[in-house]
Amino acid sequence: QDQLQQKIICPGPVTCLTASPNGLYILVGVAESIYLWEVSNGNLLAILNRHYQDLTCLCFTDDSSHFLSGAKDCLALVWNLYSVLQAEPSQIPDPRHVWSRHSLPITDLCCGFGGPLARAATASLDQTAKLWEISSGELLLSVLFDVGIMAVTLDLSEYHMFCGGMDGSIFQVDLCAWPVQRDRTFQTERENGKVFKGHRNQVTCLSVSTDGSLLLSGSHDETVRLWDIQSKQCLKTMNHKGPVTNAFIVLAPANMFNPDGKPSVPLPKFSKHLHGTESNDEQGSEGVTLRLGLHQQECGESYLEKAERMYSQMHSTREKNLVGDQEHLTIQVSELEEEVSTLRKINKNLFDFSARIITKPAK
């Protein structure tokens, strides 16, 4: 029996959790707050409080540049990860988009492929599923059903959107149907060939295989079902001892069937306080930490500020009469030359460090 590798205590009951596709960050929803942790060292980088009620779902774009959050306050927010990391701990960054077209709590989110140019789907208890464009924030499609929607997902080619209802039905919506309509009504009696029937209770999760032929669904009826999308037939039913809350299809890791396979790097303990606000930062002596955010402890002049000051001095000097001020100009030139030398040294050290990491043989 596998041993629990790490037990991480969170600030409260976790309602939703997701990891960035690049494996660098973890997002957790606790009550109405979003917690952002860095996986490599366990630092808590941000706490976002822009929702008014409990979080229900979180998801990243495929390039990890943005993430989406949905809550019981009927809002779906789009966040730029870089802006969140750049913000100081005392400030709460603004989301890139605020989607407020739902009238009841958001139940699920799904993001397609394309990074910041991707499309995202939202599901709600208001019996609608909506399709949005992340780059512009524009609403592309709204589909009205006769039951509340608890789960939503897109196939890889984004030809279809699958929606799981509270009555156990799963609806297939054609995104390329003609004529194109921004507002549509899914009438079950007219579209029997586009409904998966088998679950006896609300559908909580949906996932499509990479080849677009299989659909996986989990339900509160304590079963997980595997469907053939083309024929709408249930291929397999897996029974559980309680309501299924989450299930998804993933590609098998390379060492999945290796009995001796273990994680090469242990997961660190996640910090309970925002990074940079701890009374005593216990930083290890080994390893190098690279950050995008403003995590500098000292308040001294940065390299960019110093370079900008010298550049402005150089321009002001050019505009003045240089007669009798040759000595001052010489001092400024020597400072600039020293700064260029320092920057070249830093650049060389960064290059050497990157080269060693890239060329380091795999263990």
Side-chain angles (χ1 to χ4, degrees):
Q1 186 176 0
D2 293 337
Q3 297 292 322
L4 183 64
Q5 292 186 358
Q6 180 67 265
K7 184 177 181 180
I8 299 173
I9 305 298
C10 291
V14 175
T15 57
C16 50
L17 182 149
T18 189
S20 62
N22 58 19
L24 298 180
Y25 303 100
I26 290 284
L27 277 176
V28 173
V30 177
E32 67 273 8
S33 302
I34 304 172
Y35 289 77
L36 175 64
W37 273 287
E38 191 172 7
V39 175
S40 61
N41 49 32
N43 287 336
L44 178 59
L45 301 183
I47 302 177
L48 306 174
N49 296 290
R50 288 301 298 266
H51 283 285
Y52 306 105
Q53 295 186 34
D54 291 356
L55 269 293
T56 56
C57 44
L58 291 164
C59 72
F60 271 96
T61 57
D62 61 321
D63 66 344
S64 304
S65 65
H66 292 72
F67 62 90
L68 287 72
S69 61
K72 293 182 179 180
D73 59 5
C74 314
L75 297 179
L77 307 182
V78 180
W79 303 85
N80 185 311
L81 180 61
Y82 179 75
S83 299
V84 171
L85 294 175
Q86 279 289 94
E88 296 183 5
S90 59
Q91 297 178 343
I92 300 177
D94 293 326
R96 181 172 177 179
H97 300 299
V98 177
W99 294 333
S100 57
R101 302 289 291 274
H102 285 289
S103 57
L104 286 176
I106 307 289
T107 55
D108 198 14
L109 291 167
C110 174
C111 190
F113 284 84
L117 301 178
R119 295 182 290 184
T122 58
S124 172
L125 293 178
D126 64 4
Q127 302 185 2
T128 66
K130 299 182 187 294
L131 192 67
W132 311 79
E133 187 176 53
I134 293 180
S135 58
S136 64
E138 182 182 358
L139 176 63
L140 302 178
L141 174 67
S142 179
V143 184
L144 176 64
F145 301 88
D146 52 7
V147 295
I149 303 300
M150 300 300 298
V152 65
T153 191
L154 300 166
D155 63 357
L156 215 60
S157 59
E158 298 185 18
Y159 280 141
H160 305 289
M161 179 171 64
F162 299 92
C163 305
M166 293 193 68
D167 62 349
S169 300
I170 302 172
F171 310 100
Q172 176 181 313
V173 179
D174 294 334
L175 300 180
C176 299
W178 189 265
V180 178
Q181 294 175 312
R182 189 180 297 272
D183 295 287
R184 291 161 54 180
T185 300
F186 190 96
Q187 298 177 345
T188 306
E189 62 276 5
R190 294 185 181 179
E191 306 191 58
N192 288 328
K194 298 178 182 178
V195 180
F196 300 78
K197 296 183 178 180
H199 284 297
R200 300 182 305 277
N201 205 333
Q202 67 183 43
V203 177
T204 57
C205 48
L206 295 169
S207 180
V208 181
S209 62
T210 52
D211 63 354
S213 63
L214 300 175
L215 174 69
L216 184 74
S217 63
S219 170
H220 275 190
D221 65 5
E222 304 183 359
T223 65
V224 171
R225 291 176 179 263
L226 191 65
W227 308 83
D228 177 70
I229 292 179
Q230 187 170 5
S231 65
K232 308 295 183 293
Q233 297 297 312
C234 180
L235 303 178
K236 188 174 183 180
T237 301
M238 293 156 276
N239 295 309
H240 291 260
K241 296 181 180 179
V244 177
T245 57
N246 206 353
F248 52 90
I249 300 173
V250 294
L251 296 175
N255 64 343
M256 179 176 178
F257 301 105
N258 181 8
D260 299 326
K262 294 182 180 179
S264 57
V265 180
L267 191 66
K269 187 175 181 180
F270 284 5
S271 174
K272 297 181 181 179
H273 306 283
L274 278 174
H275 179 69
T277 61
E278 297 90 344
S279 57
N280 53 345
D281 292 337
E282 298 178 359
Q283 297 292 340
S285 58
E286 297 182 357
V288 176
T289 303
L290 300 178
R291 300 198 183 286
L292 293 175
L294 301 175
H295 299 295
Q296 298 177 351
Q297 300 298 322
E298 67 278 358
C299 298
E301 188 179 31
S302 67
Y303 280 110
L304 290 177
E305 292 170 343
K306 186 175 180 181
E308 185 177 357
R309 176 175 59 83
M310 290 183 176
Y311 185 75
S312 61
Q313 288 179 353
M314 183 175 65
H315 271 274
S316 63
T317 304
R318 285 179 177 175
E319 296 173 359
K320 295 179 181 178
N321 187 2
L322 298 180
V323 178
D325 203 16
Q326 191 68 30
E327 183 180 353
H328 182 63
L329 180 62
T330 304
I331 294 175
Q332 289 184 348
V333 170
S334 63
E335 285 185 356
L336 288 171
E337 290 177 347
E338 182 182 354
E339 183 66 20
V340 170
S341 176
T342 303
L343 291 174
R344 283 178 176 172
K345 184 178 179 181
I346 292 174
N347 187 43
K348 183 178 183 302
N349 290 338
L350 282 173
F351 177 81
D352 292 341
F353 170 75
S354 303
R356 285 198 305 271
I357 294 297
I358 294 173
T359 58
K360 185 178 180 181
K363 294 183 179 179

